Amino acid sequence: AAKPENQAPNVPDWSKTLGDGVAVRAYGKPSKYEAHVVRRDVEWLTASRESSVSFTPLHEIEGPITPNSLCFERHHGGIAEIDPADHQLMIHGLVDKPLIYTLADLKRMPRVNRVYFAECAANSGMEWRGAQLNGCQYTHGMIHSLMYTGVPLKVLLEQAGLKNNAKWLLLEGADASGMTRSLPLAKALDDVLIAYKMNGEALRPENGYPMRAVIPGWEANMWVKWIRRIKVGDEPWHHREETSKYTDLLENGTARRFTYIMDAKSVITNPSPQAPLTHRKGFTVLSGIAWSGRGKVARVDISLDGGRNWRAARLDGPVWNKAVTRFYYEFDWDGSELLLQSRAQDDTGYVQPTKVALRKVRGVNSIYHNNGIQTWQVRPNGEVENVEVG
Ligand code: MTE
Ligand code: CO
């Protein structure tokens, strides 16, 4: 609670005594007054905590980059705690020369730094049938956007030498989940990385330490963590995560498969249900994020009235390819009810659809790839709720 004796014009306690010396917090951590800013999970969502998800607190962060400690986590067999001395990445199959790389080997190879978003295909998955979870952390928090340092997979494949009939890769993780995904070779040669750093520091164990696949713009399920094996083949393997899971069951009973690319999407992070407006009326800043798996965010539009009128938001900071872009919209709030929406458009011209339009094409059986426009209702008292408009 606030202490008047510490507030201006008084001299606060911390001006009167010396604080901690250097290196007391040898690997830094946030202020104890920020203890509410954490990843959170939804207990009823999954049967176990080992195969589960925690969500990024999107309403508590700013800019285009996610702090490492707050990145959503999704694992199907718990966190593998791997000693890099015991970890290797094997490349075999349709290659001239099977190879094995240690982390030290990767660090002796040419590396690049790139910012990309990773969004789980199941992000917003609980919202297919109607507004459900009350907070952008839960509706949209299965996304993070990080600067990766890693080696282009192309470099490793060239060292192994691809056979003429090579067309697909199988990526396998070292954790207990048996995570395996088929990846088209063309994508691997384009922009896939084997990364070992995030935002400059070593990958965190929960995000794949010591190495993970980075598959820019594509569903995060394919970003195999703790990657230990890449097999080169001539056709996809049709494993669990690309058959029974990560396919979209349509209204007519058939399923969309291999829906890799995450289409353009956006969400207003402030205000939102966990971050109400507390100032009643007056100058108000809307903050939000937009992204597209097809390229750069070209523009974001904002509606204050549930999609009837639209005005351009201001993109702020770097607009990277296949990364999160921050946007703002400033306005004078008259204190009346608002139906806030954001709508992203990418540089291919693709425009984020309404939920109504999306359901017309995709039905409501799906869990995955819900990129419909989100609506937040702001009440005159500043409280915010997850709603839908017709
Ligand atoms: N890789 C392995 N080895 N095991 C996993 O359970 N989960 C996948 C993917 N890679 C997973 C994995 C899923 S579904 C997602 S959404 C992303 O990792 C999550 O990455 P993150 O935990 O860094 O957010
Ligand atoms: Co996922």
Side-chain angles (χ1 to χ4, degrees):
K3 288 198 193 121
E5 60 271 28
N6 280 330
Q7 293 170 17
N10 299 326
V11 177
D13 291 344
W14 41 90
S15 299
K16 298 175 191 159
T17 56
L18 295 175
D20 281 348
V22 295
V24 168
R25 305 166 199 205
Y27 210 130
K29 54 182 182 190
S31 160
K32 62 182 176 187
Y33 302 108
E34 296 292 317
H36 57 286
V37 181
V38 287
R39 310 193 263 231
R40 293 181 192 276
D41 62 336
V42 177
E43 264 175 41
W44 53 263
L45 216 53
T46 53
S48 81
R49 297 184 76 81
E50 293 76 25
S51 181
S52 192
V53 56
S54 71
F55 299 90
T56 307
L58 295 176
H59 59 295
E60 297 281 7
I61 62 178
E62 268 298 339
I65 297 280
T66 314
N68 290 346
S69 301
L70 297 177
C71 288
F72 86 94
E73 318 152 86
R74 173 80 176 103
H75 11 87
H76 298 71
I79 300 169
E81 282 282 359
I82 297 179
D83 180 346
D86 293 335
H87 184 82
Q88 290 163 341
L89 170 61
M90 176 166 92
I91 300 187
H92 68 136
L94 297 178
V95 293
D96 299 329
K97 191 171 35 146
L99 291 171
I100 287 180
Y101 295 94
T102 64
L103 180 60
D105 293 335
L106 288 189
K107 288 182 173 173
R108 287 180 49 235
M109 308 194 50
R111 71 194 75 141
V112 297
N113 294 285
R114 299 278 186 277
V115 177
Y116 294 119
F117 77 83
E119 183 187 16
C120 182
N123 199 21
S124 315
M126 300 308 293
E127 308 292 307
W128 266 111
R129 287 158 194 260
Q132 174 147 239
L133 298 172
N134 229 8
C136 67
Q137 179 164 16
Y138 306 112
T139 56
H140 290 75
M142 290 169 85
I143 185 166
H144 48 61
S145 186
L146 306 168
M147 168 80 77
Y148 294 96
T149 308
V151 181
L153 180 51
K154 184 175 191 235
V155 173
L156 307 182
L157 294 172
E158 277 169 359
Q159 287 183 350
L162 293 165
K163 300 273 194 210
N164 284 337
N165 51 342
K167 283 212 176 59
W168 286 82
L169 308 181
L170 182 73
L171 275 47
E172 181 185 73
D175 56 323
S177 74
M179 174 64 58
T180 37
R181 284 292 306 244
S182 305
L183 178 74
L185 179 64
K187 177 67 173 173
L189 296 176
D190 179 14
D191 55 5
V192 170
L193 305 177
I194 301 300
Y196 50 86
K197 301 254 180 191
M198 57 199 278
N199 290 338
E201 67 173 4
L203 291 182
R204 296 288 177 87
E206 51 273 45
N207 307 106
Y209 180 83
M211 54 182 80
R212 86 173 303 171
V214 168
I215 321 281
W218 290 21
E219 58 186 17
N221 182 258
M222 307 180 75
W223 297 44
V224 172
K225 303 192 275 190
W226 312 291
I227 190 166
R228 67 184 289 266
R229 188 165 72 97
I230 296 175
K231 184 173 186 181
V232 182
D234 56 0
E235 53 184 7
W237 280 262
H238 306 288
H239 276 198
R240 181 191 65 212
E241 307 292 309
E242 47 206 22
T243 51
S244 87
K245 300 286 187 294
Y246 299 95
T247 65
D248 304 306
L249 181 59
L250 300 175
E251 208 81 308
N252 66 8
T254 64
R256 299 197 316 165
R257 293 193 54 204
F258 299 128
T259 44
Y260 303 129
I261 301 179
M262 301 307 291
D263 281 319
K265 186 168 169 181
S266 65
V267 66
I268 295 170
T269 54
N270 303 83
S272 60
Q274 297 157 288
L277 289 178
T278 50
H279 61 272
R280 304 310 274 261
K281 56 183 178 175
F283 186 74
T284 303
V285 178
L286 299 189
S287 179
I289 53 172
W291 61 95
S292 168
R294 295 184 192 273
K296 292 184 181 178
V297 171
R299 65 177 291 155
V300 176
D301 292 288
I302 299 294
S303 177
L304 305 179
D305 55 11
R308 272 190 279 278
N309 296 290
W310 294 94
R311 313 129 203 243
R314 175 169 65 84
L315 305 186
D316 184 80
V319 179
W320 289 298
N321 183 34
K322 299 168 189 167
V324 159
T325 296
R326 179 62 55 174
F327 66 81
Y328 297 108
Y329 181 74
E330 291 101 356
F331 71 108
D332 201 10
W333 182 35
D334 64 7
S336 60
E337 184 193 276
L338 303 170
L339 288 169
L340 300 180
Q341 296 186 337
S342 63
R343 184 180 65 190
Q345 184 176 336
D346 68 21
D347 61 0
T348 70
Y350 175 93
V351 180
Q352 183 184 359
T354 64
K355 290 188 180 178
V356 172
L358 195 61
R359 288 187 188 116
K360 269 194 194 127
V361 182
R362 303 262 304 283
V364 292
N365 295 324
S366 194
I367 307 169
Y368 306 108
H369 297 279
N370 180 353
N371 69 324
I373 291 173
Q374 174 66 43
T375 311
W376 302 130
Q377 177 194 43
V378 181
R379 305 223 187 87
N381 68 4
E383 280 171 15
V384 183
E385 200 176 339
N386 179 7
V387 300
E388 289 207 17
V389 292

